[in-house]
Amino acid sequence: MNHRERVLAALRHQEPDRVPLDFGGIVDSTISAFSYQALRKLLGLPPTVTRVQDVYQYTAVVEEDVRRALGIDTRPVLDGPVAWRRGELPDGSPAEFPSRFRPQRQADGAQVVLDAAGTVVLKMPAGGLYFDPVSSPLAGARTAADVERHLDAIAAYDRPAHLDLDYEALAEQARLLREETDYLLVGFFGGHIFQAAQSLRGWEQFLVDLLVDRAFAESLLDHLAEANIQRFAHYAETVGRYVDVIHFEDDLGMQDRPLLRPSLYREAVKPYHARLFRFAKAHSHAYILFHSDGAVGPLIPDLIEMGIDALNPVQVSAAGMDTAWLKREFGKDLTFWGAACDSQTVLPFGSPQEVADEVKRRIDDLAPGGGFVLAPIHNIQAGVPAENVVAMFEAARKHGGYA
C-alpha cells in the first residue's frame, strides 16, 4: 500500500498493511520549534533553518526527510504566507517566519504583536514558548448590533493577516502534492465557533454569556457559523478539491470533564456546529477530522451524529478517554487520530522503553478493524527528549503491522 491508500483504508474502517502514521500532517501533530533540530540531529539528518508555521503554538514545519525517516503517511495543506522572512527563535537559533508576522521586543524581553490601532493582540513573555492572544475585540459588546460591528474580526479569526496566501494559490500547491506524491493530504480549515466566541468575547465572559444572556451568545455563535460556512464554500471549490481530509478544530474538553455540561452544549452550541459540519459534508468529498483536547467522551455521540469521521488528539490522560473503552463504544463509527503516547507523563518524562510500551498498548486497543491513525497526542512540546520521539515512531512501526 502507498501512504494515501493506507490512511484511506483506516478511515474506511478497514485494516491496511500497517497502522498509518501522522507527524506534522495536521497543526496539532507536529513539534515545538525549540525541539525540532534535536530530532533532526538524532535521526542523522543535517541541520536546517526551522520554519515556524503556527506562530501561536510556535511549532515547526516537518520536512520531507524527517517524514521519510519516520515512515509518515500524511502531509499537510496549510494556510500560509505569500513570503517568508529570516529571523531567529528566542533561543537564538535560525528560523523562518511568515513575512507579515513581525513581533516587537519589549524592554522586559517579552515579544508582542500589535494591530493597526496599536493594541497588543499577541504576547510571548520573556522565556515563553508560545504567543497567547491577549485582546478580545468583543469584550465590550452588549447587543447583537454590537456583534455586527465586529464582523471583520469574526471573519478573520481563522485566517489572520500574516497568513496571506489566497485559497487559489494554496489549491495549486495541493494539486501538485496530489499529482507528485502519494501522501494522504490533510487540509486545515479550522472552523472554530465555540473557541472563537470565547477568544473574541473573553474566555470567562462568553461562558457567563451562555448562562445569563443566551440571545447575545447565540447571536455571536450564529455569525461565526455563517462566516465559516461562507469561507468553506470558497475553500471547497479550491483547496477542498485536492485534499482527502479536512481538519476542523474547536476545543470542548478540560482535563476532567467537558468545558460545558453536555445538555448546555446540545442546547446552545451544537446547533451551530451541526450547521457547519453538515454544510461541509454536503460540499466536499473529504473526511472530516475534528480536533478537541480533553475529556470529550460524553460529547462523542454528538460528534458522530453531526458527521465527524475522525477524532483528534484522543487525549488518553483525560478523564473517560480510556482507549479500550473508546474503541469498544465508538470504534465502528469513528476513526481515532492520535493516541500514540500519553503526552503529559510518559512521552516527556518516561524512558524510551516506557514510551514503546505505551505505544504498543494504544495500538492493541485501537488498531483492530482499522479506524486508527497513530499520531502524537497534540504537538510534541519543548524539552521532550528526541530519543522518546524516535522511540514512539519506531514502536509504531514495530507493533503496527496487521497480520
Side-chain angles (χ1 to χ4, degrees):
M1 281 185 160
N2 67 30
H3 297 301
R4 188 175 301 139
E5 292 168 344
R6 183 173 296 121
V7 187
L8 288 175
L11 287 164
R12 290 192 292 263
H13 296 271
Q14 300 168 353
E15 292 188 350
D17 56 338
R18 65 164 173 80
V19 170
L21 306 181
D22 169 43
F23 179 46
I26 63 174
V27 296
D28 303 307
S29 70
T30 181
I31 186 170
S32 168
F34 296 100
S35 299
Y36 181 61
Q37 293 301 322
L39 174 62
R40 290 187 60 86
K41 183 177 181 180
L42 185 62
L43 291 171
L45 302 173
T48 57
V49 176
T50 302
R51 178 167 281 187
V52 180
Q53 173 76 36
D54 186 336
V55 297
Y56 304 103
Q57 300 186 83
Y58 235 65
T59 50
V61 174
V62 174
E63 294 162 291
E64 176 64 15
D65 54 356
V66 173
R67 274 191 291 269
R68 290 180 178 174
L70 296 176
I72 304 305
D73 296 299
T74 60
R75 186 154 176 173
V77 177
L78 301 174
D79 286 344
V82 169
W84 297 84
R85 65 172 177 84
R86 190 70 174 263
E88 58 182 38
L89 300 177
D91 63 7
S93 58
E96 287 186 340
F97 301 88
S99 181
R100 294 180 65 181
F101 181 74
R102 295 186 176 269
Q104 301 177 17
R105 192 171 295 276
Q106 297 183 312
D108 64 358
Q111 295 185 74
V112 298
V113 175
L114 310 179
D115 65 11
T119 302
V120 175
V121 293
L122 297 173
K123 183 174 183 178
M124 179 189 286
L129 302 173
Y130 319 99
F131 275 96
D132 293 313
V134 293
S135 174
S136 298
L138 276 77
R142 294 292 180 267
T143 67
D146 292 336
V147 173
E148 292 180 1
R149 284 192 281 271
H150 294 278
L151 295 182
D152 288 347
I154 289 170
Y157 183 82
D158 275 321
R159 298 213 81 202
H162 63 270
L163 300 178
D164 52 350
L165 191 71
D166 63 37
Y167 280 159
E168 286 73 18
L170 188 60
E172 179 61 14
Q173 293 182 7
R175 183 187 68 81
L176 292 173
L177 285 172
R178 188 159 199 90
E179 293 177 356
E180 297 174 2
T181 80
D182 65 0
Y183 286 109
L184 185 287
L185 300 184
V186 184
F188 177 73
F189 181 75
H192 296 90
I193 294 179
F194 176 63
Q195 178 182 317
Q198 286 189 284
S199 181
L200 293 168
R201 179 73 169 129
W203 296 92
E204 294 180 6
Q205 182 58 54
F206 185 70
L207 298 179
V208 173
D209 293 338
L210 285 171
L211 296 178
V212 304
D213 195 348
R214 180 71 62 81
F216 174 86
E218 291 186 351
S219 173
L220 178 53
L221 292 169
D222 180 70
H223 280 294
L224 283 161
E226 187 58 32
N228 276 303
I229 286 170
Q230 291 181 18
R231 183 166 61 90
F232 191 87
H234 185 198
Y235 186 90
E237 293 173 353
T238 53
V239 184
R241 296 167 58 193
Y242 303 107
V243 299
D244 306 288
V245 172
I246 298 176
H247 176 195
F248 289 76
E249 292 187 327
D250 220 353
D251 281 340
L252 300 174
M254 299 185 289
Q255 185 71 22
D256 62 341
R257 72 196 75 178
L259 272 160
L260 302 176
R261 65 179 184 271
S263 61
L264 179 58
Y265 170 76
R266 291 169 188 138
E267 293 171 8
V269 178
K270 181 179 175 180
Y272 303 98
H273 277 155
R275 268 172 57 191
L276 175 59
F277 298 145
R278 287 168 185 163
F279 184 89
K281 297 289 278 191
H283 291 80
S284 171
H285 68 278
Y287 291 91
I288 292 182
L289 170 65
F290 180 76
H291 168 89
S292 175
D293 303 301
V296 294
L299 303 180
I300 289 177
D302 300 282
L303 299 178
I304 293 170
E305 180 193 339
M306 291 186 291
I308 298 302
D309 299 298
L311 176 66
N312 168 268
V314 195
Q315 186 184 327
V316 301
S317 59
M321 297 298 286
D322 174 72
T323 46
W325 178 80
L326 289 170
K327 184 70 171 185
R328 185 170 61 251
E329 293 294 315
F330 308 113
K332 292 182 180 179
D333 300 307
L334 194 66
T335 292
F336 299 101
W337 189 303
C341 180
D342 181 349
S343 58
Q344 290 183 315
T345 56
V346 181
L347 189 64
F349 305 119
S351 67
Q353 184 58 54
E354 289 170 326
V355 169
D357 292 343
E358 168 90 357
V359 171
K360 182 179 184 303
R361 173 190 171 191
R362 303 307 172 185
I363 290 173
D364 289 345
D365 284 349
L366 295 172
F372 181 40
V373 179
L374 184 144
I377 300 174
H378 219 299
N379 296 317
I380 296 166
Q381 299 298 296
V384 172
E387 292 81 3
N388 284 4
V389 179
V390 172
M392 178 170 61
F393 287 106
E394 286 182 344
R397 294 195 302 273
K398 177 180 179 181
H399 300 294
Y402 288 93

